[in-house]
Amino acid sequence: MFATESAMISPTQDPAAVKRRLAFQKSYSQEHGGSWRRKSLIEDARFETVTNIEFAKRERTISNRGSISEEEEVFIQNGETTSPVETEPCRVYVILVTVKEGMTSSLSRIIRVFETTKVVLEHIESRKSQKVGAIFDVLIQCVCSGQKVTSLMNAIRQNPSTVEVSVIGTKDTDPKGQHYVCIHELVIKNVTSCFQGFTDEEYKARRKHIADIAFEYKHGHPIPRVQYSKEEVDTWGHVYKQLKELFPTHTCHEHIEAFKGLEKEGGYNESCIPQLEDVSNFLKRKTGFQLRPVSGLLSARDFLASLAFRVFQCTQYVRHGSKPDHSPEPDCIHELLGHVPMLSVPAFAQFSQEIGLASLGASDQDIERLATLYWFTVEFGLIRQDGQLRAYGAGTLSSYGELKHSLSDSPKQLPFNPAVTSVQEYTDDDLQPVYFYVESFEDMMQKMRDYASSIKRSVDLRYDPFTQSIQVIEKKETLETLSTSLRTEIVNLEKLVKRMDLISV
């Protein structure tokens, strides 16, 4: 039995239920601009755990009663109690809600949402909206965890008077835990400037245009080319030049050589953003990996699963030009300067695929742990070479500030241990306080294999490079056939080694 990348659904699953779950997740994720991929894979995995739990509640209610009211639908989606996976500390969230009705009815509905979701409302004010089809903008300051704000945003959006709702900023709570900082006009201006990309309508329209290109992409077709603007190319060039100065002294040997190869064969230079189709072809020649454009609608489980097929889901849009040195979410600068060079390294490509293979058939809890391992290796990993630490993670390789910080004396630098690393707390909105380093990619690979073997699954799986599909090992005969094939390959390799030894002599 084989499973292709586009058909990883168990045959025992009800296709209609699968569609309902996907629709539910899409609705539930709207507070993040409709994207399941947020700032980090870990949050995506936690999001998926939460939505699976909430969807199961919804399905049980529908099964028991046959149908539910619109008011109950909102209640079920958001849940009455704290989610068992809600582990984030509380923060101050600044939310902007645009409504198309008068404040009397709209405000009462909004306040009711805070009561239902049990989120602390600290401050609220309104002003006339300048948006077409809207009457008021309501500015809200509230205190809750990242998981709880998911419930809040989804519930507010269910309100028929809501035109648009978005988080325009966050602030940490008072260190003493006694008071929260009130929002004033100056703070709002500062917050808005920090999130310039989300308030720039022209930029948002550009992002949507590029996302639509990926959304319409068909597997097997050439990746559509994007005609980047001068501002986008300037942003790319700024980051490119800054990072290139640090690469020789801050990144691992494999990355340095891989980057040279991309400049020579992959079309990398500071004056032009490489096209995904060209880069994908380069990767195919080097390691068999290929890129696939993604519009944003992707879960953590799906992202990890794609790695099992040597496919990397890649964005094509560019971060906002006002903040070229940082992006709160993956963009093509992060993907092309951070991920692609290391994916052209055979040992690292193999490691990435094995994380993907480990995710297939894993539980939600295991997906969260694998996402955390991915974070501290593929995104922010360090390696010891020539007695010094060097960076190989994409999050460091694509950020000037992060790259310098990672090798400084400021953060903790701990040896990689999957059992410890998989439950390490992380941050996705500031420089990393903790990094994990490995002694070699071979050592990292073996440790990950040992860890992956402890993950419980109902079936054993193997990637078949000839058919580019996942083979389910169900019979002893399948293993015997595989074993014979591998022994033949080993014999041929041993012959080649002996021949080369004779030539060298």
Side-chain angles (χ1 to χ4, degrees):
M1 176 180 176
F2 291 85
T4 64
E5 179 191 357
S6 58
M8 288 301 297
I9 298 174
S10 167
T12 60
Q13 287 184 284
D14 176 13
V18 173
K19 290 182 179 179
R20 290 197 302 273
R21 178 173 59 82
L22 293 175
F24 177 86
Q25 288 181 321
K26 182 177 179 181
S27 173
Y28 203 90
S29 70
Q30 287 303 305
E31 81 282 0
H32 303 303
S35 172
W36 292 354
R37 283 194 74 187
R38 291 181 52 192
K39 301 178 192 176
S40 77
L41 201 66
I42 303 174
E43 284 305 308
D44 295 339
R46 289 178 178 173
F47 165 76
E48 191 170 352
T49 300
V50 171
T51 54
N52 284 341
I53 292 171
E54 297 300 326
F55 179 71
K57 293 180 185 178
R58 178 182 186 274
E59 291 289 283
R60 285 196 297 271
T61 301
I62 295 175
S63 176
N64 293 335
R65 295 179 51 187
S67 63
I68 57 177
S69 67
E70 182 177 337
E71 182 179 350
E72 289 174 314
E73 172 72 12
V74 175
F75 177 79
I76 291 168
Q77 286 191 24
N78 293 291
E80 183 180 26
T81 59
T82 301
S83 165
V85 295
E86 187 173 320
T87 58
E88 288 187 359
C90 289
R91 303 192 73 192
V92 178
Y93 286 86
V94 185
I95 300 172
L96 185 64
V97 183
T98 303
V99 297
K100 59 184 177 182
E101 295 181 5
M103 284 304 298
T104 302
S105 58
S106 298
L107 191 57
S108 62
R109 290 171 178 169
I110 291 173
I111 292 175
R112 175 58 181 164
V113 168
F114 280 85
E115 294 174 352
T116 303
T117 55
K118 303 185 186 303
V119 172
V120 178
L121 176 61
E122 286 288 312
H123 179 86
I124 186 169
E125 63 182 78
S126 65
R127 63 194 67 180
K128 288 188 177 181
S129 177
Q130 298 180 352
K131 296 182 179 179
V132 178
I135 298 179
F136 288 100
D137 289 330
V138 183
L139 189 67
I140 300 170
Q141 175 187 326
C142 63
V143 181
C144 61
S145 66
Q147 288 93 344
K148 182 63 74 173
V149 81
T150 297
S151 299
L152 176 72
M153 299 291 287
N154 191 58
I156 292 177
R157 191 167 281 103
Q158 302 296 324
N159 188 333
S161 67
T162 299
V163 175
E164 185 178 2
V165 56
S166 60
V167 173
I168 64 171
T170 61
K171 289 175 63 66
D172 291 327
T173 58
D174 184 273
K176 297 180 181 180
Q178 297 175 348
H179 304 285
Y180 297 101
V181 182
C182 291
I183 298 296
H184 297 290
E185 187 69 23
L186 179 60
V187 175
I188 295 301
K189 287 180 179 178
N190 290 338
V191 168
T192 302
S193 67
C194 290
F195 288 77
Q196 184 65 38
F198 297 101
T199 58
D200 185 334
E201 295 300 325
E202 183 177 346
Y203 176 75
K204 288 167 65 176
R206 173 65 171 167
R207 280 276 299 267
K208 182 180 183 304
H209 170 70
I210 295 178
D212 287 343
I213 293 176
F215 188 78
E216 297 296 329
Y217 172 74
K218 303 296 183 183
H219 176 59
H221 291 189
I223 300 175
R225 295 177 179 271
V226 175
Q227 188 66 39
Y228 290 105
S229 67
K230 182 180 184 302
E231 182 181 7
E232 289 167 333
V233 174
D234 288 344
T235 300
W236 159 270
H238 170 82
V239 179
Y240 192 98
K241 285 185 289 186
Q242 278 198 320
L243 288 171
K244 189 175 178 180
E245 291 179 358
L246 285 182
F247 285 164
T249 56
H250 286 66
T251 69
C252 66
H253 302 326
E254 291 81 356
H255 174 266
I256 293 172
E257 291 304 312
F259 194 78
K260 289 178 181 177
L262 283 162
E263 288 193 315
K264 183 178 179 180
E265 304 175 47
Y268 272 44
N269 61 73
E270 65 183 60
S271 60
C272 179
I273 301 176
Q275 295 292 331
L276 293 197
E277 176 68 12
D278 299 333
V279 178
S280 183
N281 290 333
F282 173 86
L283 284 178
K284 285 180 187 178
R285 296 193 302 269
K286 295 296 182 179
T287 62
F289 251 92
Q290 57 184 307
L291 303 182
R292 180 169 298 174
V294 61
S295 61
L297 300 179
L298 191 67
S299 71
R301 184 180 292 273
D302 289 339
F303 176 78
L304 289 173
S306 68
L307 296 177
F309 297 85
R310 297 214 167 199
V311 171
F312 186 83
Q313 308 279 355
C314 192
T315 53
Q316 287 180 287
Y317 56 81
V318 181
R319 64 193 59 172
H320 197 275
S322 64
K323 289 191 173 294
D325 295 317
H326 173 71
S327 174
E329 56 186 331
D331 72 331
C332 74
I333 293 178
H334 169 76
E335 319 279 35
L336 294 173
L337 294 182
H339 285 288
V340 166
M342 293 305 298
L343 286 175
S344 71
V345 177
F348 193 80
Q350 181 66 30
F351 175 78
S352 299
Q353 183 182 28
E354 293 200 13
I355 289 184
L357 288 168
S359 76
L360 301 180
S363 67
D364 286 346
Q365 185 181 48
D366 285 324
I367 290 294
E368 288 189 36
R369 290 176 176 173
L370 286 169
T372 304
L373 287 168
Y374 183 94
W375 179 267
F376 285 110
T377 54
V378 177
E379 290 289 354
F380 291 99
L382 303 178
I383 186 171
R384 189 185 299 280
Q385 292 182 336
D386 300 329
Q388 296 181 313
L389 292 180
R390 292 288 182 263
Y392 70 83
T396 48
L397 297 176
S398 60
S399 170
Y400 182 86
E402 191 81 45
L403 188 52
K404 292 184 68 176
H405 170 75
S406 67
L407 303 184
S408 71
D409 296 329
S410 298
K412 291 182 179 179
Q413 296 151 337
L414 306 175
F416 177 65
N417 179 341
V420 175
T421 307
S422 64
V423 294
Q424 173 67 43
E425 290 297 318
Y426 82 106
T427 179
D428 62 3
D429 57 5
D430 201 354
L431 298 175
Q432 297 297 303
V434 178
Y435 297 86
F436 289 88
Y437 64 87
V438 297
E439 297 298 334
S440 67
F441 290 131
E442 291 75 15
D443 178 58
M444 177 175 70
M445 186 100 65
Q446 187 57 54
K447 287 179 178 177
M448 270 300 301
R449 285 171 179 164
D450 293 340
Y451 178 84
S453 66
S454 68
I455 297 176
K456 296 181 179 179
R457 294 185 188 78
S458 58
V459 294
D460 292 310
L461 305 171
R462 172 183 176 270
Y463 177 73
D464 188 329
F466 300 106
T467 61
Q468 295 184 333
S469 62
I470 299 298
Q471 183 179 11
V472 180
I473 309 297
E474 296 178 300
K475 299 179 180 179
K476 182 179 179 181
E477 291 79 5
T478 305
L479 283 175
E480 290 175 347
T481 301
L482 177 60
S483 178
T484 300
S485 176
L486 291 175
R487 281 197 297 269
T488 300
E489 288 187 33
I490 291 173
V491 169
N492 290 333
L493 288 173
E494 288 175 343
K495 289 180 179 178
L496 288 174
V497 171
K498 291 179 179 179
R499 184 180 301 173
M500 289 183 179
D501 287 342
L502 290 174
I503 293 174
S504 62
V505 172

